[in-house]
Amino acid sequence: MECSSHHFDAIVVGAGIMGSSTAYQLAKRGQKTLLLEQFDFLHHRGSSHGESRTIRATYPEDYYCDMVMESLQMWEQAQSEVGYKVYFKAQQFDMSPSDNKSLRSVISSCEKNSIPYRVLDRQQVSDRFSGMINIPEDWFGVLTDVGGVIKPTKAVSMFQALAFQRGAVLRDNMEVKNVGKDEVRGGVNVGTANGEKFWGKKCVITAGAWARKLAKTVAGLELPIQALETTVCYWRIKEGKEAKFAIGSDFPTFASYGEPYVYGTPSLEFPGLIKIAVHGGYPCDPDRRPWGLGTSLDSLKEWIQGRFSGLVDDGGPVNTQSCMYSMTPDEDFVIDFLGGEFGKDVVIGGGFSGHGFKMAPVVGRVLADLVLSGEAKGVELKYFRIRRFQENPGGNVKDYEDQVNSFSNHK
């Protein structure tokens, strides 16, 4: 234990996108950093793998907008450092019934944060996208230039490479079993399943779907973070129309509010296929997940049939991939000190609720700030504090319920 190779300024537990971004931030600031991952690096058992995530600034909660805009700059900066692209630009198109409170709140948020946008009625949507997207008569759409696709596995690899270049130590297949306060030296002791022990001045827990279990084990803290298994679906574009739906064309990343809540990306990772999926999933134990579709796609098929003018085959997905969400009751993040006996020595980032990936650069920056100075500038952390659940079990109160509570038995 006294070996200096096992002593660090900061130990990051969990090497998905949030942990890898945090390790990069810490190493860049001269901290001797250790990044631990319980499985292989770039594994497919969590929330940070796959080929596409959307990026958008159209949030009804206006406190996310600045985080997205800062992250856009940080994605550009990181990929310029590493020498390859992980972020591909597109416009973002949101649509909903005319009485939908979420999309009305998006407009207010865009105005408050000076994000240029256009409101489109049914005919304007058809004209703008050359008949490729249709919405019902009583719907409307919001179009912005802040959108695009991030390549997730490639992005995680990017942050790990950049962290390594700056001196971070990366270790995979190192399941953390305990984190304890060091009563003699201060800081924390971290023990792994294979018997190795490490000491760090500070520790960051970014364990994704395993965050609840680890917080319970480490601090006896019951965080309301529920692991969900969700299914990403790819649908075949009708022959001859593939180029119209491809990234780099006029086709946007998109979201459809209401029931079902649908999102998707232009064709990128699989030529001729478009990603269209439902936001939500089934509660599960991340160590005993069903690994199955486990849901009816009838509502999604009907949605596709009604929106894409027969240009996308709605008979069924031709490819599906399983992924994990870590849902909080309000679908807001958990970014805070673990507290208790640890004081400010252990920081946790979790509960990213299926929409945090796009903000990973700024989350890593904030977690590193909390480690180094005990505070973070530029982000209103009151929305992400653990104590919000003590004040209200449902967390932050919102007036647009259709975007919250994605535990639906049809998703």
Side-chain angles (χ1 to χ4, degrees):
M1 180 61 186
E2 294 304 318
C3 176
S4 63
S5 65
H6 283 62
H7 286 200
F8 295 89
D9 295 319
I11 300 173
V12 181
V13 180
I17 189 61
M18 300 305 180
S20 299
S21 173
T22 304
Y24 160 65
Q25 285 286 330
L26 289 165
K28 186 167 71 168
R29 300 185 212 182
Q31 301 300 298
K32 186 180 179 184
T33 303
L34 172 65
L35 178 63
L36 297 175
E37 168 55 50
Q38 65 173 327
F39 306 123
D40 284 333
F41 286 134
L42 309 181
H43 65 86
H44 285 210
R45 295 173 65 173
S47 308
S48 296
H49 63 281
E51 296 303 318
S52 61
R53 296 288 190 279
T54 61
I55 188 163
R56 59 185 171 87
T58 48
Y59 271 90
E61 305 94 340
D62 56 33
Y63 44 88
Y64 284 119
C65 189
D66 283 346
M67 296 176 69
V68 173
M69 299 310 290
E70 182 183 351
S71 283
L72 278 171
Q73 297 176 1
M74 296 176 77
W75 281 118
E76 298 264 23
Q77 175 62 33
Q79 66 184 11
S80 71
E81 289 179 27
V82 82
Y84 52 76
K85 287 182 66 173
V86 300
Y87 163 47
F88 297 82
K89 295 180 181 179
Q91 290 189 308
Q92 169 70 22
F93 179 65
D94 297 88
M95 63 195 102
S96 81
S98 58
D99 61 353
N100 183 275
K101 290 183 178 180
S102 289
L103 198 49
R104 295 290 175 187
S105 296
V106 163
I107 293 172
S108 298
S109 178
C110 286
E111 291 175 347
K112 180 177 178 179
N113 291 283
S114 301
I115 302 295
Y117 69 93
R118 288 177 59 200
V119 176
L120 306 177
D121 62 22
R122 181 186 186 185
Q123 187 58 52
Q124 290 169 325
V125 169
S126 180
D127 292 345
R128 172 63 184 79
F129 297 110
S130 305
M132 294 168 62
I133 301 177
N134 287 308
I135 60 175
E137 189 67 46
D138 60 342
W139 281 43
F140 74 108
V142 175
L143 183 66
T144 70
D145 287 334
V146 183
V149 178
I150 300 166
K151 303 278 282 184
T153 299
K154 193 177 181 184
V156 176
S157 177
M158 174 186 75
F159 281 125
Q160 290 176 0
L162 291 173
F164 179 76
Q165 287 175 10
R166 285 155 179 77
V169 176
L170 281 62
R171 300 282 301 275
D172 62 358
N173 293 297
M174 298 286 284
E175 181 186 2
V176 170
K177 300 298 284 186
N178 56 76
V179 178
K181 183 176 177 61
D182 191 314
E183 299 290 354
V184 178
R185 292 173 292 188
V188 295
N189 297 313
V190 176
T192 65
N194 67 358
E196 286 201 62
K197 295 181 179 179
F198 304 92
W199 177 86
K201 293 178 184 176
K202 304 284 184 176
C203 179
V204 182
I205 294 174
T206 48
W210 290 264
R212 180 173 185 163
K213 286 187 174 186
L214 196 54
K216 177 74 170 178
T217 299
V218 168
L221 182 63
E222 195 69 66
L223 291 175
I225 298 175
Q226 174 63 58
L228 301 187
E229 185 175 69
T230 187
T231 302
V232 176
C233 300
Y234 291 88
W235 307 75
R236 191 175 303 282
I237 301 164
K238 290 297 178 68
E239 189 173 354
K241 305 297 184 182
E242 295 90 348
K244 292 181 176 294
F245 288 90
I247 193 81
S249 69
D250 240 6
F251 195 77
T253 51
F254 59 89
S256 178
Y257 294 13
E259 193 61 42
Y261 182 93
V262 178
Y263 69 95
T265 66
S267 177
L268 173 61
E269 52 264 48
F270 301 117
L273 306 184
I274 181 173
K275 175 179 171 178
I276 311 170
V278 173
H279 174 61
Y282 282 100
C284 72
D285 180 336
D287 292 311
R288 296 177 178 84
R289 58 195 279 196
W291 292 101
L293 189 59
T295 182
S296 168
L297 294 176
D298 290 347
S299 64
L300 183 54
K301 291 178 183 179
E302 184 179 343
W303 186 93
I304 292 170
Q305 188 176 45
R307 299 299 165 270
F308 292 132
S309 309
L311 301 177
V312 175
D313 186 348
D314 57 62
V318 295
N319 187 11
T320 60
Q321 296 178 346
S322 183
C323 190
M324 297 295 290
Y325 281 0
S326 304
M327 301 296 295
T328 60
D330 53 15
E331 298 196 19
D332 287 325
F333 309 158
V334 173
I335 300 175
D336 205 350
F337 300 104
L338 205 54
E341 67 171 355
F342 294 106
K344 293 189 174 183
D345 285 347
V346 179
V347 179
I348 186 165
F352 293 102
S353 301
H355 68 97
F357 199 103
K358 66 180 72 66
M359 288 171 264
V362 74
V363 170
R365 191 269 292 171
V366 167
L367 292 172
D369 286 348
L370 292 176
V371 165
L372 295 176
S373 67
E375 59 182 10
K377 296 179 180 179
V379 174
E380 186 50 79
L381 289 179
K382 70 179 182 181
Y383 298 108
F384 309 134
R385 297 290 190 190
I386 294 170
R387 66 171 175 265
R388 74 182 190 267
F389 300 114
Q390 298 161 353
E391 298 163 358
N392 172 25
N396 296 315
V397 177
K398 304 186 182 184
D399 191 33
Y400 24 87
E401 293 300 313
D402 58 316
Q403 270 209 285
V404 179
N405 300 326
S406 297
F407 303 73
S408 183
N409 59 13
H410 75 277
K411 295 181 180 179

